[in-house]
Amino acid sequence: MEFALTDEQQQLRRTVREFAEGEILPHVMEWDEVSKFPSELIPKLAEMGFLGVIFPEKYGGAGMGYAEYAIIIEELSRVDGSVGIIVAAHNSLCTNHIYKFGSEEQKKKYVTPLAQGKKLGCWSLTEPEAGSDAGGTRTTAVKKDAGWVLNGSKTFTTNGHYADVCVGMAVTDPAKKSHGISAFVIEKGTHGFKPGKKENKLGLRASDTSEVVFTDCHVPAENLLGKEGEGFVNSLQILDGGRISIASLGLGMAQGAYEASLRYAKQRKQFGKAIAEFQAIQFKLADMATQIEAARLLTYQAAWLADRAIASGNHDARITQESSMAKLYAGEVAVSVANEAVQIHGGYGFIKDYPAEKFYRDVKLCTIGEGTSEIQRLVIARQILGKK
């Protein structure tokens, strides 16, 4: 088995790193302090092809695969996880849902401008009473006037205030439970559709996380995405790819925290020598580096499997177990590494002049978003036991 990146992938990593350090790094704390969504960065991300990574060129995408996607999310997140999650939610959730399950007309109408970065996307599944429990979904969609009328609200929607296109789930047949939930495409400016409360978050503060609200929101019949009643089932398939992106998000932030710790350990002197010369610090750095490399192998394996499935033409292939393992482990590693980063920095790890503090706040999302660590363990166990 070949584990090395190709020359093209190595060049991509260098390109993304240069972009992140030049265009993002100077603004990280400014954006974080005031929870500023980096709107001025979106056209630059689009120009680099980062908003259409995994989509064919015929739909305006960059025509790359999941391995390249993982590299891009990792390198952006190594500098700022907020930017990483903006790109991830746009690509693997909103745009990918339309690409995988939309009609050809829907792909041309929505995927093309989304992949080109001319429009930004969001994806709304979670509700106050419906996180991991789809049965708690309260948003409804009722057929009326050659279309659908949506009522309800969603929470924890990344890019919610700034998205031009939203993919939202609503109950179309309560009797069928999870098989009675359908997906819809809702455009910004649609009557009865608006963003709600913007969340004031612990970390990833430059990314927008908010409610979206549907109040007698009428969408035309052609905005039903996929088959009626299959929206939630399709969402689970979308989350396979989404979990690769969250694994990459955690991986990148862990790498950033580790590199900051390594630099600090070489510079900080105590008792007449750099703290990197003390075995206690060396062991921490060794464990951090090992955990990150293991997380990278799991993440890239899941990405490779996704690419292999696409290359074989088996677009229905599931990588549920592998993506859940990658997301679980990378998320937990990110929290562990960021924790040790603060510890290595000592008192300076607790103040905002050093990057360890921000990584410590940001990484916790990786054990929560797109399925908590507990849900990942449940998913993995079901796969292992054949209870799919």
Side-chain angles (χ1 to χ4, degrees):
M1 184 179 290
E2 179 60 65
F3 290 98
L5 298 179
T6 65
D7 291 342
E8 291 78 8
Q9 289 168 338
Q10 290 173 344
Q11 179 58 48
L12 175 65
R13 184 183 293 282
R14 290 191 290 269
T15 299
V16 183
R17 181 168 295 195
E18 182 180 339
F19 174 86
E21 292 181 349
E23 299 290 343
I24 301 172
L25 185 59
H27 310 288
V28 168
M29 291 311 297
E30 168 199 344
W31 294 341
D32 180 78
E33 283 291 312
V34 295
S35 296
K36 180 184 182 300
F37 185 83
S39 297
E40 65 272 28
L41 190 66
I42 301 302
K44 297 177 182 179
L45 293 168
E47 184 179 355
M48 297 295 291
F50 298 161
L51 297 181
V53 184
I54 53 177
F55 308 107
E57 293 179 12
K58 68 176 287 189
Y59 296 117
M64 292 188 274
Y66 275 88
E68 289 79 13
Y69 182 47
I71 290 169
I72 290 169
I73 298 298
E74 179 187 350
E75 287 298 327
L76 293 174
S77 304
R78 171 183 165 271
V79 171
D80 191 357
S82 290
V83 177
I85 201 168
I86 290 169
V87 172
H90 170 87
N91 271 278
S92 55
L93 296 181
C94 176
T95 311
N96 201 34
H97 198 139
I98 303 172
Y99 174 67
K100 278 187 173 290
F101 301 108
S103 64
E104 185 62 26
E105 183 181 347
Q106 287 173 328
K107 290 178 186 178
K108 290 178 179 177
K109 183 176 181 180
Y110 297 113
V111 173
T112 299
L114 286 166
Q116 291 173 335
K118 293 179 180 178
K119 292 186 177 181
L120 189 66
C122 69
W123 194 74
S124 292
L125 174 65
T126 304
E127 297 182 9
E129 300 300 322
S132 303
D133 175 20
T137 301
R138 297 289 178 264
T139 299
T140 60
V142 178
K143 285 183 179 179
K144 184 179 180 182
D145 298 334
W148 298 84
V149 176
L150 277 61
N151 279 285
S153 64
K154 300 288 183 178
T155 189
F156 300 142
T157 298
T158 302
N159 301 338
H161 272 84
Y162 298 89
D164 302 288
V165 177
C166 173
V167 171
M169 269 47 76
V171 176
T172 49
D173 188 343
K176 293 183 179 178
K177 298 183 179 179
S178 63
H179 287 276
I181 298 173
S182 301
F184 297 88
V185 181
I186 308 99
E187 297 182 54
K188 184 177 184 179
T190 299
H191 180 74
F193 171 59
K194 65 177 182 179
K197 175 189 175 185
K198 179 179 178 179
E199 302 296 347
N200 187 11
K201 301 177 296 181
L202 169 72
L204 300 177
R205 291 173 57 80
S207 71
D208 172 58
T209 303
S210 64
E211 294 179 325
V212 294
V213 181
F214 307 100
T215 307
D216 293 329
C217 174
H218 184 273
V219 296
E222 59 266 25
N223 281 37
L224 175 69
L225 179 57
K227 296 179 181 179
E228 183 179 338
E230 294 299 302
F232 181 74
V233 175
N234 293 160
S235 294
L236 296 182
Q237 294 170 272
I238 291 301
L239 285 171
D240 282 351
R243 285 166 181 158
I244 293 173
S245 68
I246 297 299
S248 304
L249 180 78
L251 176 60
M253 291 191 286
Q255 184 69 35
Y258 164 73
E259 290 177 7
S261 301
L262 185 60
R263 286 193 302 271
Y264 182 81
K266 290 178 178 179
Q267 295 167 359
R268 173 68 167 167
K269 287 184 168 55
Q270 290 286 276
F271 306 104
K273 58 183 177 180
I275 63 171
E277 296 186 38
F278 293 102
Q279 190 179 68
I281 302 300
Q282 292 174 355
F283 280 11
K284 287 183 185 296
L285 292 170
D287 285 344
M288 292 160 79
T290 302
Q291 290 168 354
I292 290 169
E293 195 59 27
R296 182 171 286 114
L297 289 171
L298 272 175
T299 301
Y300 282 43
Q301 175 190 241
W304 175 76
L305 288 170
D307 284 336
R308 189 173 71 166
I310 293 169
S312 69
N314 186 6
H315 297 285
D316 294 325
R318 299 297 299 273
I319 52 166
T320 303
Q321 180 173 316
E322 293 82 3
S323 64
S324 289
M325 284 179 168
K327 193 269 183 189
L328 168 65
Y329 189 72
E332 296 288 338
V333 161
V335 171
S336 174
V337 168
N339 180 62
E340 291 287 44
V342 172
Q343 197 69 17
I344 288 170
H345 281 75
Y348 291 111
F350 208 68
I351 62 175
K352 293 180 182 293
D353 291 341
Y354 290 79
E357 178 269 347
K358 182 176 182 296
F359 282 121
Y360 186 73
R361 288 186 288 109
D362 287 350
V363 294
K364 188 57 189 170
L365 182 279
C366 295
T367 67
I368 298 171
E370 296 197 29
T372 63
S373 291
E374 290 74 18
I375 288 296
Q376 301 311 312
R377 291 184 173 95
L378 180 61
V379 169
I380 294 164
R382 285 177 172 172
Q383 293 290 314
I384 292 170
L385 297 171
K387 298 178 179 180
K388 302 177 183 180

